[in-house]
Amino acid sequence: MGKEKGYRLNERKAAEILALAQNGIPTLPNSQSVKIAVSEAVKLIHSIEESRNTILAQMQDLCNTLPEYSVVKEMDCIGDTLAPRIIAEIGDVRRFKNKHSLIAYAGIDAPPYQSGAFHASERHISKRGNSYLRKTGYEIMQSLIKHKPADNAVYDFIQKKRSEGKCGKEAMIAGLNKFLRVYYGKVMEFYSEH
């Protein structure tokens, strides 16, 4: 169950945590009320996890009814968890007049910065768009970097930006910009064919 939901089960880490807990100095008294509070907290965590899994399953079921779901799932490093999230945050891609509108919606476009004859050369992202879309996109970029897919335009673009001297975050935001352009192109192409 752990690997299906994106968790990486690691017995060595669990053993380390258990050893630290057994050898640690307790900060709470060893009373019945503390034991009850801890067991209730564990039950609450399990309940929240169960609710999360139910919501993710419902999101996946809803996404299966969307025509673009198959196109998004075919993209590298987008699985059962990230596909519904990215589709939910973008919505119907046909509402954007072009790829630049989608990038502006995500808030990763650089705002114009000029005053009279002065033109700025270094600008930050605007952050005026959908912060959840930026977060989901950033997770997709982390997945791309972790899995290093062969012949992936977005991953190659991130590596190119890093080789040009961009720091990790800047390269990933540039990669997200590229990813959204690719996403827009693939989904719009799918809709034009169907």
Side-chain angles (χ1 to χ4, degrees):
M1 178 177 175
K3 282 197 170 185
E4 293 172 7
K5 300 300 178 195
Y7 297 111
R8 305 263 185 289
L9 301 177
N10 190 332
E11 289 183 29
R12 184 183 55 79
K13 278 266 195 233
E16 284 178 24
I17 292 170
L18 181 62
L20 285 171
Q22 289 172 338
N23 297 328
I25 299 170
T27 57
L28 297 173
N30 189 13
S31 67
Q32 190 62 30
S33 62
V34 170
K35 290 178 184 177
I36 291 171
V38 170
S39 68
E40 288 301 315
V42 169
K43 287 179 188 174
L44 183 62
I45 290 170
H46 286 297
S47 173
I48 291 170
E49 185 176 345
E50 190 175 306
S51 296
R52 179 181 87 59
N53 292 341
T54 302
I55 291 168
L56 282 174
Q58 289 174 351
M59 286 175 68
Q60 289 168 356
D61 290 343
L62 282 172
C63 278
N64 281 327
T65 64
L66 298 173
E68 72 262 25
Y69 185 63
S70 60
V71 175
V72 175
K73 284 272 296 191
E74 288 174 6
M75 297 174 84
D76 287 327
C77 298
I78 298 183
D80 292 333
T81 304
L82 287 174
R85 287 177 54 196
I86 193 84
I87 291 171
E89 292 306 330
I90 292 175
D92 188 357
V93 78
R94 295 172 290 186
R95 68 190 170 120
F96 299 104
K97 66 180 182 177
N98 57 33
K99 60 190 173 192
H100 304 292
S101 299
L102 175 58
I103 291 165
Y105 176 72
I108 57 172
D109 58 331
Y113 185 73
Q114 59 188 41
S115 176
F118 172 74
H119 293 277
S121 59
E122 291 189 27
R123 299 173 297 165
H124 299 285
I125 63 173
S126 67
K127 292 188 179 180
R128 65 179 173 215
N130 185 333
S131 62
Y132 296 109
L133 176 56
R134 280 195 305 276
K135 182 180 185 307
T136 302
Y138 195 79
E139 289 177 28
I140 293 170
M141 296 305 101
Q142 287 177 319
S143 180
L144 280 168
I145 289 170
K146 180 179 179 183
H147 292 99
K148 301 177 175 87
D151 299 325
N152 181 283
V154 177
Y155 176 74
D156 293 342
F157 189 74
I158 292 170
Q159 293 308 105
K160 176 184 164 210
K161 289 297 175 185
R162 282 185 168 176
S163 68
E164 290 174 0
K166 298 273 187 199
C167 73
K169 239 182 196 177
E170 288 176 350
M172 287 174 74
I173 294 298
L176 177 55
N177 191 312
K178 174 85 169 180
F179 170 81
L180 289 174
R181 286 181 282 153
V182 169
Y183 178 96
Y184 182 85
K186 285 186 176 186
V187 175
M188 289 302 285
E189 181 182 357
F190 174 81
Y191 277 121
S192 69
E193 292 174 357
H194 293 91

